[in-house]
Amino acid sequence: MLNLERLRTLDALARHGSVSGAADGLHVTTSAVSQQMAKLEREVGQQLLAKNGRGVRLTDAGRLLADHAARILSQVELAQSDIEAQRGEAVGEVRVGAFPTAARGLFPAAMTSLRAAHPELRVRSRELEPERAIREVIRGDLDLAVVLDWSNRRLPVSGGLAQVHLLDDVPDVAMPADHPLAGRAEVDLEEFADDDWVSWPEGEFCYDWLMFTLRSKGFEPRIAHMAEEHHTQLALIEAGLGVCVTPRLGRGWVPEGVRLVPVRQRMRRHIYAVWRADADRRPSIRAAVEALREAAVLAAEGSDGAAGSDESAA
């Protein structure tokens, strides 16, 4: 009889494409992956892996069994969902991920609510960029992810995933307090064509969005500084080193030397939760989604209030 954990290891190898990738995804050592695969090969009596340069590749038999493994594991997920749904209680563990401002703006309230309502449910959270988070949900490394896209640049979501909208986030332009446009009630992005810009790191989804959006306004932005954290970006702005687009969700404290001005043509970040459709009946997933929706309502109310105070200060 085929061992389920060994099939899970084979599935991880097929999805990640390497022993090290499978080990990272399964949170085990590369040695453990190799041992599991050796045992699986003995069980089926066929070679499942072959050397490929410094790495390995699946043989024809390996790919065939990996296809079956993916279907078996999906069926196991459905069985677990049904059993959990039959019990009707959110128990066990749920693994969630989110991009940084959502983790900061939503997770504290959502996790507190979950802990109070479902004390037997353990929650593990991680910060991840949207595209990677979706991949990890598809692979089964995450149960649920909070991701985003923009009104003018959507993030493709693969089939087999369920999703629910949480909130829309309206970002502002952050600029030094002595900037010529700092006293304005609204601005257009093209008015900053001659400014230096502070941006998210190259390769991130929001960096790609920023470049696409600014170029669509008819100018090539001068990216002078890149920073992952919005608080770092705002510190650079306060020092007079450029301007940036900054979201309201998870914004927190704004330095005194920074002014936030809304954009006349409102830009919106669409923030939503995604999870595997075959896990849709799990009470733990439903509980986590509901907690995130409640946290999103609170965050949206807080963002509106903060926006009003920012605008009056500007």
Side-chain angles (χ1 to χ4, degrees):
M1 183 177 294
L2 294 172
N3 179 280
L4 187 61
E5 286 308 309
R6 287 164 201 158
L7 289 179
R8 199 180 302 278
T9 302
L10 176 62
D11 178 65
L13 264 170
R15 289 185 286 103
H16 291 276
S18 68
V19 172
S20 60
D24 288 341
L26 295 170
H27 306 290
V28 299
T29 65
T30 54
S31 176
V33 170
S34 298
Q35 290 174 17
Q36 288 283 62
M37 289 304 302
K39 291 177 181 178
L40 185 58
E41 286 182 329
R42 289 197 294 271
E43 285 178 353
V44 300
Q46 293 195 61
Q47 184 179 0
L48 302 176
L49 296 178
K51 288 190 176 296
N52 184 29
R54 294 184 177 180
V56 295
R57 60 172 177 81
L58 294 178
T59 63
D60 290 344
R63 285 194 296 272
L64 177 63
L65 186 55
D67 289 341
H68 283 291
R71 289 192 292 272
I72 291 169
L73 292 171
S74 178
Q75 198 62 39
V76 169
E77 181 76 49
L78 283 171
Q80 290 174 332
S81 297
D82 285 344
I83 291 296
E84 203 175 307
Q86 181 71 22
R87 182 175 176 179
E89 298 177 9
V91 297
E93 180 179 87
V94 62
R95 300 159 299 172
V96 299
F99 58 96
T101 52
R104 185 164 60 247
L106 299 179
F107 277 5
M111 304 304 175
T112 301
S113 173
L114 276 174
R115 184 170 58 185
H118 306 283
E120 294 186 44
L121 179 64
R122 298 184 307 277
V123 183
R124 291 170 52 195
S125 67
R126 300 167 57 196
E127 281 191 2
L128 290 171
E129 284 299 305
E131 290 168 313
R132 181 179 174 189
I134 286 179
R135 289 197 301 269
E136 295 214 3
V137 170
I138 293 171
R139 290 198 303 250
D141 298 331
L142 281 179
D143 297 307
L144 178 73
V146 179
V147 299
L148 70 92
D149 59 23
W150 294 82
S151 51
N152 63 337
R153 194 172 183 87
R154 306 311 298 263
L155 178 71
V157 176
S158 303
L161 294 182
Q163 61 179 285
V164 65
H165 176 261
L166 297 175
L167 75 157
D168 285 344
D169 188 30
V170 181
D172 304 306
V173 177
M175 64 195 78
D178 60 357
H179 192 283
L181 302 179
R184 293 269 293 276
E186 291 181 324
V187 292
D188 291 312
L189 290 177
E190 51 266 38
E191 295 181 272
F192 300 93
D194 294 328
D195 285 271
D196 286 338
W197 282 82
V198 178
S199 167
W200 295 273
E202 190 171 356
E204 290 190 7
F205 181 76
C206 286
Y207 169 87
D208 294 338
W209 166 82
L210 181 66
M211 299 301 290
F212 171 82
T213 300
L214 297 182
R215 286 167 177 165
S216 72
K217 299 297 181 180
F219 69 94
E220 183 67 25
R222 295 199 309 267
I223 305 298
H225 305 282
M226 294 183 180
E228 184 85 31
E229 285 289 330
H230 287 281
H231 290 166
T232 304
Q233 294 181 5
L234 293 179
L236 294 168
I237 302 303
E238 185 180 34
L241 300 175
V243 300
C244 74
V245 171
T246 183
R248 294 178 184 175
L249 177 64
R251 178 183 289 167
W253 177 77
V254 177
E256 291 184 5
V258 173
R259 294 294 178 266
L260 304 170
V261 182
V263 179
R264 182 171 288 108
Q265 295 180 337
R266 288 296 175 95
M267 306 174 293
R268 294 188 181 275
R269 299 197 309 171
H270 306 298
I271 298 166
Y272 48 101
V274 299
W275 62 95
R276 293 186 305 282
D278 57 15
D280 192 53
R281 289 173 292 215
R282 288 177 55 191
S284 58
I285 296 291
R286 292 179 177 270
V289 170
E290 184 57 30
L292 285 167
R293 294 179 75 169
E294 292 172 358
V297 171
L298 295 175
E301 292 172 352
S303 294
D304 290 341
S309 62
D310 290 340
E311 290 164 26
S312 61

